[in-house]
Amino acid sequence: MSYAELARARYSCRAYEDRPVEAEKLAAILEAGRIAPSACNKHPTRVLVCDTPRLREKAATAAHHFAKKGSVFGAPLVLVVCDKMGAAWLRSYDQMNSGDIDSSIVVDQMMMQAEDLGLSTCWVCHFDPRVAIDELGLPSDLYPVHMLTVGYAADRIADPEAREARTIPMSEFRLTV
């Protein structure tokens, strides 16, 4: 499958089969995130694997709007992606911190690797970081930025016309100056 086909096949899955993600697939997903580029190779991203009922329930407590069957969207696997405080590169001109960007690249690479392995994902940002810190017992130097649910889809991607209707037209996306 070409990258363009992979990108078009990927969607935000919100219902999962009650089937675990195989260890070798999880390892490949984590490796895709580990090798993701980061600003000045600082690699400030850390990932907590929530693959037990207890950890999935704790993740779902933080993302309570999406809690389903003891997990986030009922996923058998939730990856909590964190920024290691003080580890990211800072842009000297305005002190912009690259941590959010770096962790987004990690999630993107893990998400596309999962899709390539026949798994589905949903990138979740609507959760309470304070609740995630408390529930998951994260160290004080880790701040949760994203969750990525992973598993075998129990729903289906919308048809191409419906997807296109929700996508920004190229005429608006591409700027001309």
Side-chain angles (χ1 to χ4, degrees):
M1 178 183 306
S2 72
Y3 183 78
E5 292 167 327
L6 182 67
R8 286 202 179 276
R10 199 241 148 237
Y11 71 102
S12 295
C13 180
R14 293 183 174 88
Y16 294 90
E17 292 179 4
D18 186 19
R19 177 178 164 194
V21 172
E22 296 87 346
E24 63 275 5
K25 289 186 177 183
L26 172 58
I29 292 165
L30 292 173
E31 180 64 8
R34 186 188 73 80
I35 64 170
S38 66
C40 292
N41 290 315
K42 297 283 188 177
H43 299 286
T45 306
R46 303 294 184 271
V47 179
L48 174 65
V49 176
C50 298
D51 59 353
T52 66
R54 183 180 68 81
L55 288 173
R56 288 191 305 266
E57 182 67 42
K58 290 176 179 285
T61 300
H64 69 276
H65 294 289
F66 307 127
K68 185 173 163 186
K69 296 188 293 183
S71 186
V72 182
F73 292 123
L77 179 62
V78 180
L79 303 177
V80 179
V81 181
C82 303
D83 181 25
K84 185 168 178 55
M85 306 305 290
W89 174 77
L90 297 177
R91 184 167 55 196
S92 62
Y93 306 102
D94 60 0
Q95 299 304 298
M96 189 267 320
N97 183 311
S98 70
D100 285 350
I101 297 166
D102 294 336
S103 64
S104 293
I105 296 168
V106 167
V107 172
D108 188 58
Q109 288 202 186
M110 292 192 305
M111 180 178 68
M112 297 309 278
Q113 178 64 73
E115 184 70 30
D116 188 53
L117 294 170
L119 297 163
S120 294
T121 61
C122 187
W123 189 332
V124 178
C125 289
H126 188 70
F127 67 92
D128 187 330
R130 292 274 116 214
V131 173
I133 289 167
D134 293 343
E135 286 290 321
L136 296 166
L138 294 173
S140 60
D141 67 337
L142 292 182
Y143 190 79
V145 182
H146 318 275
M147 289 185 186
L148 184 66
T149 60
V150 183
Y152 292 93
D155 62 2
R156 291 202 319 246
I157 190 171
D159 62 67
E161 294 80 25
R163 289 191 73 176
E164 188 61 33
R166 295 191 310 251
T167 305
I168 186 171
M170 184 58 77
S171 61
E172 291 179 36
F173 179 73
R174 183 178 177 178
L175 296 175
T176 336
V177 290

